[in-house]
Amino acid sequence: MIGRLNHVAIAVPDLEAAADLYRNALGAQVGAPQDEPDHGVRVIFIELPNTKIELLNPLGADSPIQGFLDKNPAGGIHHICYEVEDILAARDKLKASGARVLGSGEPKIGAHGKPVLFLHPKDFNGALVELEEV
Amino acid sequence: MIGRLNHVAIAVPDLEAAADLYRNALGAQVGAPQDEPDHGVRVIFIELPNTKIELLNPLGADSPIQGFLDKNPAGGIHHICYEVEDILAARDKLKASGARVLGSGEPKIGAHGKPVLFLHPKDFNGALVELEEV
């Protein structure tokens, strides 16, 4: 069911400093910052040859990653995103297996303009899993 | 400098249960368990079309991931591994930029028989980064 790893998201306390680290120390291809007000995040994508790293920083007062940064002030790996062909079919299969979908259970439009869902980390070995329809 | 994302490693409290979850609920291609006594881990690789997920479970009394599981009993995303062409050149560039290399600073042979190094998470936004020469 799951396909490619679309991205690994890392929450960072300072987006520009993190971008500099990836650009200069790690020599990676770093995109421009993008505000995602609907998701409460400002993001920069690092383009690797086979997938992406998404650097996440809070945007606005109710950012869903503020709590993570409060607990992990230096930042940390926040979630992994797997691609699926049919997000509603994937959701229904996962729910039937006992996995919990976060929020309303209905897909939202994610950072790439595609429908996304998040799955409960307690059902996935402590890893927050995003599914993105491609 | 960094190339492909070689894998994302997830520490799990029950390797067989995690493998079943990836095989059945997520419908992924799941490999056979492999003991890595030199690294104190038992691993299962999940083969995605563009990269791998490495499920990690402690092996032996001095496993380097036991402390992580003590702090995170449900498991969690443990590290990300980037490929590099020349691990000594990468190490020296990173050290010159101020990043700290864990352990002796000399590469060890990793799970794929290739030289690997780990970088200090405090220098990488709280993310434990492995470099693997390919």
Side-chain angles (χ1 to χ4, degrees):
Chain A
M1 184 172 74
I2 57 170
R4 297 171 73 257
L5 180 77
N6 187 275
H7 62 266
V8 178
I10 303 176
V12 303
D14 181 331
L15 196 58
E16 287 301 328
D20 282 348
L21 180 73
Y22 270 82
R23 188 184 292 114
N24 300 323
L26 290 170
Q29 189 183 329
V30 175
Q34 304 169 33
D35 286 355
E36 312 259 354
D38 290 352
H39 294 270
V41 291
R42 192 163 199 234
V43 305
I44 287 180
F45 283 103
I46 313 294
E47 300 284 342
L48 302 179
N50 61 333
T51 188
K52 294 186 288 283
I53 304 295
E54 181 184 49
L55 303 176
L56 286 174
N57 197 238
L59 180 70
D62 297 318
S63 173
I65 63 159
Q66 188 60 57
F68 182 90
L69 282 173
D70 290 344
K71 279 185 218 155
N72 305 279
I77 304 174
H78 184 264
H79 69 263
I80 48 179
C81 176
Y82 298 126
E83 297 179 355
V84 293
E85 285 188 11
D86 180 334
I87 200 163
L88 295 178
R91 174 195 67 183
D92 293 345
K93 179 170 187 289
L94 284 159
K95 282 173 75 172
S97 80
R100 286 164 287 179
V101 177
L102 296 184
S104 69
E106 295 305 316
K108 285 190 177 182
I109 297 302
H112 307 97
K114 305 284 181 64
V116 300
L117 279 175
F118 284 89
L119 306 174
H120 201 302
K122 286 198 178 163
D123 298 330
F124 291 90
N125 302 290
L128 178 59
V129 172
E130 180 180 14
L131 298 180
E132 178 173 319
E133 186 172 280
V134 293
Chain B
M1 183 172 75
I2 56 171
R4 297 172 73 257
L5 179 78
N6 187 275
H7 62 267
V8 178
I10 302 176
V12 303
D14 181 333
L15 197 59
E16 287 301 329
D20 282 348
L21 180 72
Y22 270 81
R23 188 183 292 113
N24 299 324
L26 290 170
Q29 189 182 329
V30 175
Q34 305 170 33
D35 286 355
E36 312 258 356
D38 289 351
H39 294 269
V41 290
R42 190 164 201 235
V43 305
I44 287 180
F45 283 102
I46 312 294
E47 299 285 343
L48 301 179
N50 61 332
T51 188
K52 295 186 286 285
I53 304 295
E54 181 183 50
L55 303 176
L56 286 175
N57 197 237
L59 179 71
D62 298 317
S63 173
I65 61 159
Q66 189 60 57
F68 182 91
L69 283 173
D70 290 343
K71 280 184 217 156
N72 305 278
I77 304 174
H78 185 265
H79 69 263
I80 48 180
C81 176
Y82 298 126
E83 296 179 355
V84 293
E85 284 189 11
D86 180 334
I87 200 161
L88 295 178
R91 175 195 66 182
D92 293 345
K93 180 170 188 286
L94 284 160
K95 282 173 75 173
S97 79
R100 286 165 285 180
V101 176
L102 296 184
S104 69
E106 295 305 315
K108 285 189 177 183
I109 298 302
H112 308 98
K114 306 283 179 64
V116 301
L117 280 175
F118 284 89
L119 306 174
H120 201 303
K122 287 199 178 161
D123 298 329
F124 292 91
N125 301 292
L128 178 60
V129 172
E130 181 180 14
L131 298 181
E132 179 173 318
E133 185 171 282
V134 291

